[in-house]
Amino acid sequence: MMFMLVSCNKDTSETDLGAEQQNTPDILQTLARNTAVFSLVNIAPVDVDNTCDISESPVHNASTEALRNYAGVLNTTLTSADRETHLERIFDLVSDFNKFSFLGLRDPVGEPYREVVEHHENRLRALWDMNEDEIIISGIRSDFGTQERFDRALEQIVANDVYTGNPEGVFHYLYDNYPGIFSHPYFTINANAVTLQGTHYINLGDGMLDILDNEAGDNGVLFVFAHEWAHLVQNNNENWERDYEGEPTTAEITRFKEVEADFLSAYYLCLNNDKGGVGLDWETMSRVSEMVAGIGDCNFESDGHHGTPNHRRAAAWLGYRIAAGHVNTGLTGDIKFTAQQLHTLLMAVFENILRNEYVEPEQLQRPFFEDQELNAIYNELVRDKDELWKIYRGSTGKEESISGIK
């Protein structure tokens, strides 16, 4: 689960480990049904001219290897009875426990990355007008080596109504019998954001940050931090969901939220420093963009679908184009947009691309914006829609798609 906006109120009404369940002779296949990591292995087509391929993604490969290792831990640790009849439920419960353990542990972000996070927190607060919001930033260590840490996490998970029902008995049974299954590096290859009872949380796993730092240095770490922050912006604007046309599936809604978070993150990284951003040029941002593309997935029908590599690459490009002022609006000076303005632009420009539909620019119905800045920048972006579509489809090579954008 990478970059997933987690939700609360998990159902524990069926946590009786004495209930009959289907036997699961192949532990890896069982886990494959319950985690996005293994479902990503199945390469599915994007359209008739292209395929979605994440086989070279560092995040995907590291997650897959970590999950294989964790499957081995479960295989050797669980009793045959629990493994054959309750494996899926146990995996779900331990995964969820790790996902929400930050509520009780409040571990700091890993030392190598703490400075980056602390330096940009106030800038992100100011940019998105969130100076008064309560925001708690934690690291994900996945370390339950002591009963005290486990009890602290469980107490806060229950207190924050993460679960319906009464989960304490099941979790205590698992920890008392299999304490080792709660602590594994697999659970640190993750980053998430959640809002519970009015408080915002951002959680950054050491495993995820290690991979992204290796791929893009501090800018990779920063992109992920800004991406998760963008989810908090979305949580503060719940009315944005009313902008989705028709009756989108959960997978489609998740995909748009993730693509929008990439877009807003890229906007922050490329916005001029004197306007509250970081001021990256495209040569630097393109390396981050390729890292982001590697976090895409091909699991189109999954509720956790985060967008294909090309969706995410195109979103980063669009954020750069708007933030860096490489759109000839005819207006004087650079423009600094609000979150609402950026959301409106993304809905207009990306609407068809996200549906895997191509519409010629002259056939695209132009929305009417009362804001002249939005009208100007939208009209210019429509003229460049062919280039955006090429990047989205992957019909240009990696080098061409990076060097061809000025």
Side-chain angles (χ1 to χ4, degrees):
M1 183 200 66
M2 271 61 75
F3 302 98
M4 183 170 291
L5 183 64
V6 296
S7 59
C8 57
N9 295 322
K10 308 290 289 187
D11 184 12
T12 58
S13 60
E14 297 180 0
T15 57
D16 179 8
L17 294 183
E20 282 297 321
Q21 296 188 24
Q22 181 179 358
N23 287 347
T24 52
D26 189 327
I27 192 168
L28 284 175
Q29 290 302 315
T30 299
L31 299 191
R33 292 196 292 271
N34 284 321
T35 176
V37 173
F38 262 73
S39 57
L40 301 189
V41 175
N42 299 318
I43 306 304
V46 174
D47 54 45
V48 295
D49 298 320
N50 192 26
T51 59
C52 179
D53 185 352
I54 59 170
S55 60
E56 297 182 4
S57 163
V59 173
H60 164 74
N61 292 336
S63 299
T64 300
E65 182 59 32
L67 185 60
R68 289 185 186 277
N69 184 276
Y70 185 63
V73 171
L74 294 178
N75 192 44
T76 58
T77 303
L78 300 178
T79 65
S80 59
D82 276 344
R83 184 173 64 248
E84 293 175 0
T85 59
H86 310 302
L87 176 63
E88 294 183 60
R89 192 59 179 155
I90 290 172
F91 179 76
D92 283 344
L93 287 168
V94 176
S95 297
D96 286 340
F97 190 92
N98 271 272
K99 187 188 304 180
F100 290 100
S101 63
F102 66 87
L103 290 167
L105 299 183
R106 305 285 178 88
D107 289 326
V109 175
E111 182 64 40
Y113 315 113
R114 200 174 304 163
E115 184 176 349
V116 173
V117 170
E118 291 176 350
H119 176 73
H120 289 275
E121 177 181 356
N122 288 336
R123 295 177 67 84
L124 285 164
R125 282 181 177 273
L127 178 67
W128 302 126
D129 194 22
M130 297 175 68
N131 285 319
E132 303 303 318
D133 291 45
E134 183 178 3
I135 303 171
I136 298 173
I137 303 166
S138 301
I140 303 174
R141 279 175 45 192
S142 185
D143 174 15
F144 298 99
T146 67
Q147 183 76 47
E148 185 266 340
R149 281 177 62 82
F150 173 84
D151 289 342
R152 233 167 59 213
L154 180 58
E155 178 183 10
Q156 289 303 311
I157 288 173
V158 173
N160 280 272
D161 297 325
V162 170
Y163 294 91
T164 59
N166 184 12
E168 293 100 323
V170 173
F171 280 120
H172 278 298
Y173 167 81
L174 291 174
Y175 192 81
D176 290 345
N177 288 278
Y178 313 116
I181 69 174
F182 282 84
S183 301
H184 192 275
Y186 167 72
F187 297 111
T188 73
I189 307 177
N190 185 22
N192 59 59
V194 63
T195 300
L196 293 172
Q197 300 182 9
T199 299
H200 299 303
Y201 300 89
I202 291 177
N203 308 291
L204 304 171
D206 286 350
M208 174 66 80
L209 298 183
D210 286 344
I211 297 169
L212 302 184
D213 177 62
N214 185 62
E215 291 298 304
D218 284 352
N219 291 325
V221 174
L222 178 55
F223 187 93
V224 171
F225 181 42
H227 171 107
E228 297 306 331
W229 196 290
H231 284 315
L232 304 186
V233 175
Q234 293 169 332
N235 291 352
N236 278 351
N237 292 274
E238 293 181 354
N239 60 302
W240 285 0
E241 290 197 18
R242 293 200 296 268
D243 295 338
Y244 306 147
E245 292 187 359
E247 297 182 0
T249 65
T250 301
E252 290 170 336
I253 293 173
T254 301
R255 177 178 61 182
F256 187 85
K257 286 183 176 180
E258 297 302 329
V259 168
E260 182 171 57
D262 287 343
F263 167 63
L264 295 176
S265 180
Y267 177 81
Y268 171 66
L269 265 68
C270 298
L271 186 67
N272 288 344
N273 191 273
D274 61 356
K275 293 187 177 298
V278 181
L280 298 188
D281 58 21
W282 179 249
E283 182 179 358
T284 304
M285 186 60 207
S286 65
R287 292 194 292 270
V288 180
S289 173
E290 291 308 309
M291 175 207 75
V292 175
I295 307 171
D297 68 77
C298 310
N299 196 25
F300 302 109
E301 302 303 321
S302 168
D303 288 350
H305 178 40
H306 279 39
T308 68
N310 286 328
H311 283 143
R312 307 192 76 161
R313 183 182 291 115
W317 175 83
L318 186 63
Y320 160 78
R321 283 294 304 262
I322 294 175
H326 287 259
V327 178
N328 181 19
T329 62
L331 303 173
T332 302
D334 293 332
I335 304 170
K336 178 181 176 181
F337 290 104
T338 66
Q340 180 61 58
Q341 288 175 314
L342 291 168
H343 171 75
T344 302
L345 278 171
L346 184 64
M347 290 296 299
V349 176
F350 243 49
E351 177 182 341
N352 297 96
I353 290 179
L354 285 171
R355 294 177 180 172
N356 297 343
E357 297 172 356
Y358 179 68
V359 178
E360 294 292 341
E362 60 269 18
Q363 296 175 334
L364 188 66
Q365 182 178 0
R366 297 186 177 186
F368 173 75
F369 301 130
E370 295 181 0
D371 188 325
Q372 67 161 338
E373 292 178 346
L374 289 188
N375 272 317
I377 200 168
Y378 174 77
N379 291 341
E380 187 67 22
L381 287 170
V382 166
R383 295 190 189 101
D384 291 338
K385 191 169 183 291
D386 282 338
E387 178 63 30
L388 188 63
W389 179 254
K390 287 180 182 179
I391 299 170
Y392 160 74
R393 291 177 62 200
S395 57
T396 57
K398 180 186 296 186
E399 295 304 319
E400 182 181 352
S401 68
I402 291 174
S403 62
I405 301 173
K406 305 297 182 184

